[in-house]
Amino acid sequence: MKDILFALLAIFALTSTSLPAGAPPAAAQAAEPAAFNCGSATGIPQAECEALVALYTSTNGANWTNKSGWLATDTPCSWFGVTCISGRVLLLSLTNNQLNGSIPPEVGNLANLQALLLASNQITGSIPSALGSLTNLQRLLLDRNRLNGNIPSQLGGLTNLQELSLHNNQLSGSIPTELGNLANLRSLALNNNQLTGNIPSSLGSLANLRTLSLNDNRLSGNIPAQLGNLSNLLTLALDHNLLQGTLPPELGNLTNLLSLYLHYNSLHGALPQTFTNLTKLSTFFFFNTAICEPGDTAFQAWLNGIGNLRRTGVICFDCIQVNDMPKAECDALVSLYISTNGDGWRVRDRWLDSSEACGWSGVGCTNGRVDTITLRSNNLSGTITSQLGNLTQLQYIDLNDNQLTGNLPLGLSGLTNLIELHLNDNQFSGPIPADLGSLSNLQWLILSNNQLSGPIPPELGNLTSLYRLYLDGNQLSGIIPTQLGNLRFLFGLYLDHNQLSGPVPTQLTNLTDLLELRLNDNPLTGRLPPSLINLTQLSTFWFDNTSLCEPGDTAFQTWLTGLSDLRRTGVICPLKQVRAYVPLVIR
């Protein structure tokens, strides 16, 4: 009976939230008192009335699309979007109603609430942890807003919840493991946010789940095998993340699955043979990964029988047959081939055709270990997987001038022998991984002319063997890290054509071997450090198209004009004003 009543309330909510375009406001909206006294309200407890008023006030209720009755009558149960049963608020439905502002914690006082529907508004701020007090809640829809911050772990206490929809916001942080306690959950939609970290294995406890949407975030790590326990799952969307590793064969237990989305991840390896158990699967996307397909007749028959299929189209190459390098290194090369559309490379001689992988074009080996990959200007497209980090003897990587996209891979910190990394002139986006600062032997780091964004990681200051650092031609922002002053062997620092701001750190004057410094075409401000004159080896210095000014003293100007390749602002810094001291004379 309770479920039937709730269904009727949901239908009422959906019909009551739709207004004809241009409909005039209800007559009750015309009169709105300056302040509302819940002490005179009838029909619900005062605390619940005050929670409604707090929501109205906090989300600019005066400008809601429909605010019929709100603060205009003393019967809150008659206010638009409010449904009461037995003197308690049971449903609050204000979807697509122009709410603008934050959710007040007082909403957590609506103790009998079964549905909170606030989707498709302009709600900002964080999700209040007080919502974890709504233990009767069955539906929580806050999607398509501008919410930020973490998902409160307290939501894991809403054990009656059947639908949790937080997608299309700006939420960050990790997915709380406590969400695995929502035993009645049927739909979990966290997609299109900025969530990071691993997928919690606890989500495998959600036995009633029909839909799991985690796509379009920055989730990393492996897909947990526990997701194979979700026997009622119909849709699993994990695409557009940073997931890595191989697919767990346990996913083959999802025999009711209709749709599976894995594309745009750093996944690699073969599709598990257990996937042939997914006989109801009608949509399967795994393109733009390094996943390969078993070539046997039975598996290919199952795969080709899927109606909506987007695949890599690469038949698995068994590295067991390779005899001139460790299998793990061969697997890493195969992963690179698949994830970068190897069949479309300009030159791919002997790749996946020869059992001597050291003879594949662009691969160099020493003593049976891969130490060189040179595939520049070779029409590589797609993404690079983190499996590249298994080539632990690698010293030289040159993938520049291709069409590579996506984020720079995490997990390259194991390449401690790497000397040169050339990834310039591609279409990489997202941040520069901080773990690149672990490459202690790196001498050349070239990331120029991509679409990288975010700050320059201060960890790059740990690359004390570095000779050249090319970060130019990206969309990097924030300040120049002072830690770059630790790169004492640096010959060239190229930060131009970005969105870097703030002053030039004085620590750069520690780079006494520096020959070239390019800072131009950034919104940098302030005074060039006078101590730059210590850079006696410098011959190229570009800082035009910035807001930097030059010290006007003779020593600095003599040093500056003595540089052979100078591009400057030509703006002399104003002299610092010194307040004159006038003694006080007492007569």
Side-chain angles (χ1 to χ4, degrees), residues 272-539:
Q273 287 286 346
T274 57
F275 274 32
T276 58
N277 297 329
L278 307 180
T279 56
K280 297 180 181 179
L281 199 65
S282 59
T283 297
F284 186 20
F285 291 0
F286 61 96
F287 64 99
N288 270 300
T289 67
I291 295 172
C292 63
E293 309 167 5
D296 62 277
T297 303
F299 194 94
Q300 287 293 314
W302 167 80
L303 194 60
N304 291 323
I306 297 172
N308 189 14
L309 177 65
R310 295 188 63 183
R311 64 208 291 185
T312 57
V314 178
I315 302 300
C316 296
F317 177 86
D318 192 349
C319 282
I320 293 178
Q321 62 187 289
V322 169
N323 54 28
D324 61 346
M325 70 174 61
K327 181 178 182 298
E329 296 197 6
C330 173
D331 287 337
L333 293 176
V334 172
S335 173
L336 176 66
Y337 182 89
I338 297 172
S339 67
T340 60
N341 189 27
D343 288 347
W345 290 1
R346 185 173 56 83
V347 179
R348 55 185 180 91
D349 296 346
R350 296 180 296 281
W351 277 80
L352 309 193
D353 291 330
S354 168
S355 60
E356 295 181 350
C358 288
W360 296 353
S361 60
V363 177
C365 300
T366 299
N367 297 324
R369 305 296 296 273
V370 178
D371 61 5
T372 303
I373 297 177
T374 306
L375 296 169
R376 64 181 303 171
S377 305
N378 202 40
N379 201 37
L380 278 68
S381 60
T383 59
I384 299 177
T385 72
S386 59
Q387 202 172 8
L388 201 65
N390 292 337
L391 302 173
T392 56
Q393 298 302 310
L394 203 58
Q395 296 183 21
Y396 185 90
I397 304 175
D398 189 353
L399 303 180
N400 89 81
D401 191 26
N402 284 292
Q403 291 84 49
L404 296 169
T405 57
N407 294 86
L408 295 176
L410 302 173
L412 298 185
S413 57
L415 302 180
T416 53
N417 291 296
L418 197 64
I419 295 174
E420 296 190 25
L421 177 58
H422 300 248
L423 299 178
N424 50 299
D425 294 283
N426 281 286
Q427 301 167 35
F428 290 113
S429 57
I432 298 174
D435 63 359
L436 291 183
S438 302
L439 306 179
S440 56
N441 287 302
L442 199 65
Q443 296 178 4
W444 290 66
L445 176 57
I446 309 180
L447 304 178
S448 312
N449 300 319
N450 282 287
Q451 300 167 25
L452 300 171
S453 58
I456 298 174
E459 289 83 357
L460 295 188
N462 297 330
L463 301 175
T464 53
S465 298
L466 206 63
Y467 292 156
R468 302 275 179 175
L469 177 58
Y470 290 86
L471 303 180
D472 52 299
N474 284 289
Q475 301 165 22
L476 300 171
S477 57
I479 62 172
I480 300 173
T482 60
Q483 290 84 350
L484 296 188
N486 298 332
L487 306 177
R488 61 187 185 277
F489 295 123
L490 204 65
F491 292 152
L493 178 59
Y494 309 92
L495 305 179
D496 52 284
H497 292 88
N498 279 291
Q499 300 168 20
L500 300 171
S501 57
V504 176
T506 58
Q507 288 81 357
L508 294 190
T509 61
N510 298 333
L511 307 178
T512 54
D513 288 336
L514 203 63
L515 301 175
E516 298 181 343
L517 176 59
R518 298 200 324 224
L519 305 175
N520 54 291
D521 293 274
N522 280 294
L524 295 166
T525 56
R527 181 186 186 92
L528 286 174
S531 53
L532 285 176
I533 63 174
N534 295 328
L535 303 182
T536 57
Q537 303 300 314
L538 197 69
S539 60

Side-chain angles (χ1 to χ4, degrees), residues 201-238:
S201 60
S202 62
L203 298 186
S205 301
L206 303 176
N208 288 300
L209 206 62
R210 277 25 175 204
T211 300
L212 178 57
S213 300
L214 304 179
N215 53 287
D216 291 273
N217 282 290
R218 293 183 52 78
L219 299 171
S220 57
N222 296 334
I223 298 174
Q226 290 83 350
L227 296 188
N229 297 333
L230 304 176
S231 57
N232 289 302
L233 202 64
L234 304 177
T235 298
L236 177 57
L238 304 177

Side-chain angles (χ1 to χ4, degrees), residues 186-198:
R186 291 170 174 262
S187 176
L188 177 58
L190 305 180
N191 51 290
N192 294 91
N193 281 290
Q194 300 167 20
L195 300 172
T196 56
N198 296 340

Side-chain angles (χ1 to χ4, degrees), residues 552-573:
D553 61 277
T554 302
F556 190 91
Q557 287 295 315
T558 299
W559 168 81
L560 190 63
T561 55
L563 300 175
S564 60
D565 187 7
L566 175 65
R567 289 169 52 178
R568 63 202 292 186
T569 58
V571 177
I572 301 299
C573 301

Side-chain angles (χ1 to χ4, degrees), residues 23-65:
Q29 291 176 259
E32 182 179 311
F36 188 84
N37 181 12
C38 282
S40 60
T42 60
I44 58 173
Q46 182 172 338
E48 296 197 7
C49 170
E50 290 172 347
L52 296 176
V53 172
L55 177 66
Y56 181 91
T57 303
S58 183
T59 58
N60 194 18
N63 288 313
W64 289 359
T65 302

